[in-house]
Amino acid sequence: MAETETATGAGVGVGEREDPDKSPQAVESAKESAAATGAPKPGQRAEVSNLDIVRHYFEVAADKLGIPEDVRTVFWTPYREVTVQIPVRLSDGKVHVYSGYRIQHNGARGPYKGGIRFHPEVDIDEIRALACLMTWKTAVAGVPFGGAKGGVNCPADKLEASEVQKVARSFMDKVEKVLGPTRDIPAPDVNTNAQVMAWLMDEYGKLHGHTPAIVTGKPISLEGSLGREAATGRGCVYMFREAAPHIGLSPTETTFVVQGYGNVGSWAARIMQQLGARMIAVSDANGAIRSDAGIDANALHDHIGRGGLITEFAGAEPIDPADLVAVPCDVLIPAALGGMIHEHNADLIRCKMLIEGANSPTTPAADRILRDKGVYVIPDVMANAGGVVVSYFEWVQNLQHFRWDEREVNDKLGTIMRRAYREVAARAKEENLHLREGAYLVGIERVAEAAHIRGYV
Ligand code: NAD
């Protein structure tokens, strides 16, 4: 079934530079030394992998749906996995070799769709997990795509822009054969943005002619969609608005905490603030800050945009990032990496609602602890679907060569997010399940139905 292409070579030497190269070997040895120190500290990522997390939730739902083992294998294993070697000469004069992946998990419902991340901890299992999650997410949102994900294990935040461009173009050169506007359409993810999408589109265009629908999340000047950059954060806020009345929260009296002040986290925060909610603590990879009087989400975004450190932001106290999740608040929004809420810190959490802006931020053990504590969890598979929904709108606009205005984009996003919440909440209520299980049931059922009707299985 699964078709595997592997073009990875051992070859070119990995050079040494001030910021150590994160080749697969280096990442492996870093993981080993981390493992040797035992359990993660409260602010660190969990020992359980993203793949373990997604697999666990898939199996729980597949059991409930009574999917037999043979068919379960079809829905769990990826359809196609491509691994490529990306040798790039960096400013230290040496060639650094990174590994790039594009994994197409399931295309029963439409072309594969999913982001590309540039991060030193990217590995094939993480991309498998994220691709699988995309399959259920597009189905829960009801947009006509399958699920995919890509990544390169480069330390993008430590590279110069020209070096990131080389990585992006080299990656596209090597995976373009499996991509296409009706085959597989990448998008931004961790450490990739509209600029990176522009380079990817340009590289694809050299071989295939101008093809804006090959990637989404592009700059507005290159047929990107209005509202796409904010879409994932905005989608999280639509979820909050749907769920808030059920647990007695009113936006103007809501306090919230954000872990990870990047695209998703900062947009979620800025839109929550527009509703009158107050951000009282926030972190990024450089540290964490807290102010019970409130942290201005717009001013913090501008400060970081100017190159300022989060910990240098005026009007808030630096805190240990490990303490962030323990700050009492109404809503906690993890919007950084996977596995950040785990069994060693879940018990510290003091929020009423947790909205998973990030993918797989919560391990199954942590999820159980949060349930016991009565925290209302809006899972990644629905909470952060706003990005792929507006990516769908961008793709539609590109195919039509017709731009929608931002209000239209945001309104249509709201319609889809509300529908997804209501459908999942109804299913969960019907079967006396939590939202995550309800969402997986809805997603897997829709994929299975499409696969059967197509005659795939
Ligand atoms: P981003 O690169 O813009 O932001 C990531 C943020 O996390 C940065 O501020 C970084 O400093 C911070 N961070 C990294 N390590 C951290 C740590 N240990 N503690 C606290 N903060 C840390 O990425 P993004 O696009 O905002 O993606 C964030 C998450 O949302 C990822 O899990 C991604 O898969 C998910 N997601 C993104 C989109 C999208 O449209 N961009 C869509 C769906 C899901």
Side-chain angles (χ1 to χ4, degrees):
M1 259 293 320
E3 183 182 323
T4 304
E5 292 179 28
T6 303
T8 315
V12 192
V14 176
E16 283 173 25
R17 62 197 321 243
E18 206 176 275
D19 300 307
D21 192 3
K22 296 295 170 73
S23 63
Q25 299 92 314
V27 169
E28 210 41 57
S29 78
K31 278 185 186 163
E32 277 165 20
S33 55
T37 63
K41 293 196 186 111
Q44 293 175 333
R45 297 176 72 183
E47 63 295 335
V48 54
S49 73
N50 273 3
L51 193 63
D52 295 332
I53 296 172
V54 177
R55 174 100 200 212
H56 170 85
Y57 295 134
F58 169 76
E59 293 293 347
V60 169
D63 284 346
K64 287 210 186 319
L65 290 169
I67 299 179
E69 280 303 323
D70 51 345
V71 178
R72 206 178 278 214
T73 309
V74 177
F75 295 137
W76 171 250
T77 51
Y79 171 71
R80 178 187 280 130
E81 303 188 343
V82 182
T83 302
V84 296
Q85 182 198 62
I86 303 181
V88 184
R89 189 175 296 281
L90 299 184
S91 55
D92 62 0
K94 294 178 179 160
V95 174
H96 293 242
V97 183
Y98 302 114
S99 295
Y101 309 98
R102 185 68 183 172
I103 296 187
Q104 297 168 338
H105 176 257
N106 185 295
R109 298 183 61 263
Y112 299 98
K113 188 89 190 78
I116 292 179
R117 68 169 56 175
F118 288 175
H119 193 277
E121 285 173 27
V122 159
D123 64 27
I124 193 161
D125 275 351
E126 180 177 63
I127 301 299
R128 282 181 179 131
L130 293 165
C132 179
L133 198 57
M134 283 305 296
T135 298
W136 318 134
K137 193 181 300 181
T138 53
V140 168
V143 293
F145 289 126
K149 202 78 178 189
V152 178
N153 65 349
C154 66
D157 57 340
K158 309 243 176 352
L159 299 180
E160 293 164 15
S162 60
E163 297 172 332
V164 175
Q165 179 171 179
K166 283 187 199 171
V167 172
R169 289 187 184 277
S170 176
F171 179 69
M172 177 53 93
D173 286 343
K174 283 153 193 162
V175 299
E176 54 82 22
K177 285 186 186 59
V178 300
L179 304 182
T182 58
R183 289 180 184 279
D184 183 356
I185 305 121
D189 194 73
V190 174
N191 288 333
T192 56
N193 55 16
Q195 173 62 80
V196 175
M197 296 305 112
W199 292 325
L200 292 174
M201 182 194 82
D202 184 68
E203 198 60 25
Y204 188 86
K206 286 179 187 168
L207 295 159
H208 301 273
H210 181 59
T211 317
I214 182 59
V215 287
T216 56
K218 298 179 294 296
I220 300 304
S221 55
L222 283 175
E223 298 192 52
S225 176
L226 295 166
R228 170 61 182 91
E229 195 195 305
T232 308
R234 188 178 300 281
C236 291
V237 180
Y238 278 124
M239 289 286 161
F240 163 73
R241 289 173 66 172
E242 277 302 295
H246 300 293
I247 57 168
L249 287 179
S250 127
T252 50
E253 281 155 27
T254 295
T255 57
F256 66 97
V257 169
V258 177
Q259 180 187 57
Y261 210 66
N263 173 286
V264 177
S266 75
W267 274 110
R270 282 177 277 167
I271 299 167
M272 286 288 283
Q273 187 168 288
Q274 279 170 13
L275 297 183
R278 181 161 44 103
M279 179 163 73
I280 55 169
V282 52
S283 70
D284 71 7
N286 296 312
I289 52 174
R290 174 177 180 173
S291 166
D292 290 348
I295 298 165
D296 185 329
N298 294 310
L300 178 62
H301 174 258
D302 294 346
H303 168 79
I304 292 175
R306 286 192 301 268
L309 283 177
I310 196 166
T311 45
E312 292 167 351
F313 185 68
E317 291 297 315
I319 57 169
D320 185 335
D323 295 337
L324 184 93
V325 298
V327 173
C329 61
D330 296 313
V331 179
L332 173 62
I333 307 176
L337 302 171
M340 301 283 295
I341 312 288
H342 44 75
E343 62 178 330
H344 302 285
N345 67 4
D347 202 37
L348 304 174
I349 288 175
R350 303 275 176 275
C351 66
K352 295 180 184 138
M353 184 192 295
L354 187 142
I355 305 175
E356 294 185 341
N359 283 314
S360 299
T362 312
T363 67
D367 204 42
R368 280 190 292 274
I369 295 170
L370 295 176
R371 281 178 193 190
D372 291 346
K373 288 163 75 81
V375 175
Y376 191 79
V377 176
I378 306 187
D380 50 6
V381 69
M382 57 198 284
N384 68 33
V388 74
V389 170
V390 177
S391 275
Y392 165 55
F393 298 160
E394 182 173 330
W395 180 72
V396 169
Q397 292 171 76
N398 292 159
L399 295 176
Q400 297 176 337
H401 297 282
F402 183 78
R403 174 163 282 163
W404 307 351
D405 66 28
E406 188 167 354
R407 178 180 291 270
E408 188 175 358
V409 170
N410 292 344
D411 287 352
K412 284 188 159 74
L413 170 64
T415 303
I416 291 185
M417 296 303 286
R418 280 191 290 275
R419 185 184 68 201
Y421 179 88
R422 288 172 192 171
E423 286 174 350
V424 168
R427 184 66 192 270
K429 191 171 175 201
E430 205 176 281
E431 307 219 15
N432 198 21
L433 301 170
H434 288 87
L435 285 184
R436 193 187 309 278
E437 290 158 344
Y440 268 71
L441 290 193
V442 168
I444 293 170
E445 257 176 2
R446 288 178 180 171
V447 172
E449 187 186 349
H452 286 303
I453 293 174
R454 248 178 209 276
Y456 189 68
V457 282

